Amino acid sequence: DAKTTQPPSMDCAEGRAANLPCNHSTISGNEYVYWYRQIHSQGPQYIIHGLKNNETNEMASLIITEDRKSSTLILPHATLRDTAVYYCIVRAVTSGGSYIPTFGRGTSLIVHP
Amino acid sequence: GAGVSQTPSNKVTEKGKYVELRCDPISGHTALYWYRQSLGQGPEFLIYFQGTGAADDSGLPNDRFFAVRPEGSVSTLKIQRTERGDSAVYLCASSLRPPSGRGKEAQYFGPGTRLLVL
């Protein structure tokens, strides 16, 4: 099963780019990488996903390395409201045999003024 | 459109009592998931429904936990003989299609129910 490794915490100045790294060295060839974030006292929120090409949407950009062993989520102009825990996820197989998103502890991003 | 809703938002109960937590998924989403989140941890998978049936309940911690989705939409998570260790945020999520190893199905989460067992 693919696992992910993220730094436990990061901080970023408001208005600057926040670059959140994730290692997923055991990812399989056709597994997608997903990013979610969780603002305090709310449920996780889907941000973006990708397979092997870089992706961009209104929330963020996702850069996946050519070997797919790592990725970086980029928030181009971080705001105070981007302060949250960011989860990088590759689906893992449960003991029941399903591919279910498995959340680690994520990266706690603090955006400061 | 309407997102995933969960009720109640907060629940305080006494040890040994029975509780029910409700999840109303996004309309048309066939897959529904329950997670549990303890303080400082990421969400932990409990059970997943595809339609009316529990496709995978391998994350349920013991037989005090049970969930149903009788009409393939609303789901209820039931906890019998609650213990203090059951205190957590219980999250529900739904996705348009079932999960797969190669899939690209995003999950959409509700706000959670905060359960406190005294």
Side-chain angles (χ1 to χ4, degrees), chain A residues 30-32 34 36 38 40-46 49 51 87 89 91 94-106, chain B residues 33 35 37 39-45 48 55-56 58-59 91 99-112 114:
Chain A
N30 290 320
E31 286 182 313
Y32 284 76
Y34 289 76
Y36 288 77
Q38 188 171 25
H40 182 63
S41 297
Q42 297 182 21
Q45 176 191 23
Y46 165 78
H49 70 271
L51 183 61
Y87 296 100
I89 294 163
R91 295 171 192 268
T94 68
S95 57
S98 303
Y99 285 91
I100 299 293
T102 300
F103 291 77
R105 301 183 75 166
Chain B
Y33 313 77
Y35 288 81
Q37 186 172 25
L39 193 63
Q41 306 293 322
E44 173 192 9
F45 168 73
Y48 140 63
D56 189 335
S58 62
L91 294 162
S100 71
R102 302 178 181 183
K104 49 184 176 178
E105 309 82 14
Q107 290 181 318
Y108 296 87
F109 283 81
R114 285 153 189 77

Side-chain angles (χ1 to χ4, degrees), chain A residues 70-100:
Chain A
S70 65
S71 59
T72 301
L73 181 74
I74 301 172
L75 309 178
H77 306 286
T79 70
L80 299 180
R81 287 178 293 180
D82 291 323
T83 292
V85 177
Y86 287 78
Y87 296 100
C88 167
I89 294 163
V90 177
R91 295 171 192 268
V93 181
T94 68
S95 57
S98 303
Y99 285 91
I100 299 293

